[in-house]
Amino acid sequence: MGASLSGKQPGRGGRRRTYRPLAEINVTPFVDVMLVLLIVFMVAAPLLTAGIPVNLPKGAAQALETQEDPLWLTVTSDGRISLKDKAVFDNDDYTLEELQPRLIAVAEKTPDRKVLVRGDRKAQYALIIDVLSEARRAGLTEAKLVIESDGRSR
């Protein structure tokens, strides 16, 4: 029964404790990065869907409630016609002659597809009507004009 006065532990050969890895993971920096990314995507998402700037006419109308993704046709003030359909085409500019085959392709896939026409306030009225007529000729029967609400309700 002896006591060790040298500070050495018996059976360890006089070495100090060996390094043990820390078994805890600090998740605080990970959470901080994820929150910053969430905020960035929340701010950037509306900017990605902005599309073509169109000065819509104002009127007393209620919000349109639609379940499916409509086909967007846009007529700008300088007479460009744009077709926006995620399933078929990208957002490109067309003439009336180029628009017809594309509308027929959409009508063959989904004949009951809703068509929303956004006509700029300064666009020629005749061109907007021509775009609506082309959609009807292609077989898309449900077409509506999009306006900006002026805040008055019916």
Side-chain angles (χ1 to χ4, degrees), residues 33-45:
V33 168
M34 289 298 116
L35 286 175
V36 168
L37 286 175
L38 176 69
I39 292 169
V40 167
F41 286 124
M42 287 174 56
V43 170

Side-chain angles (χ1 to χ4, degrees), residues 5 46 118:
L5 296 176
R118 298 175 42 197

Side-chain angles (χ1 to χ4, degrees), residues 4 7 14 45 65 74 76 91 95 99-100 106 130 143:
S4 173
E65 307 249 344
T74 304
T76 61
N91 195 0
T95 63
L99 184 66
Q100 185 65 22
V106 171
D130 288 342

Side-chain angles (χ1 to χ4, degrees), residues 56-99:
L56 295 174
K58 293 185 179 188
Q62 295 179 355
L64 180 65
E65 307 249 344
T66 180
Q67 300 296 341
E68 72 273 354
D69 187 28
L71 177 69
W72 289 92
L73 290 169
T74 304
V75 180
T76 61
S77 60
D78 57 355
R80 291 182 299 151
I81 302 168
S82 176
L83 173 68
K84 176 71 172 169
D85 183 14
K86 293 178 184 172
V88 182
F89 308 104
D90 289 332
N91 195 0
D92 293 320
D93 294 336
Y94 301 103
T95 63
L96 277 174
E97 295 79 25
E98 296 170 338
L99 184 66

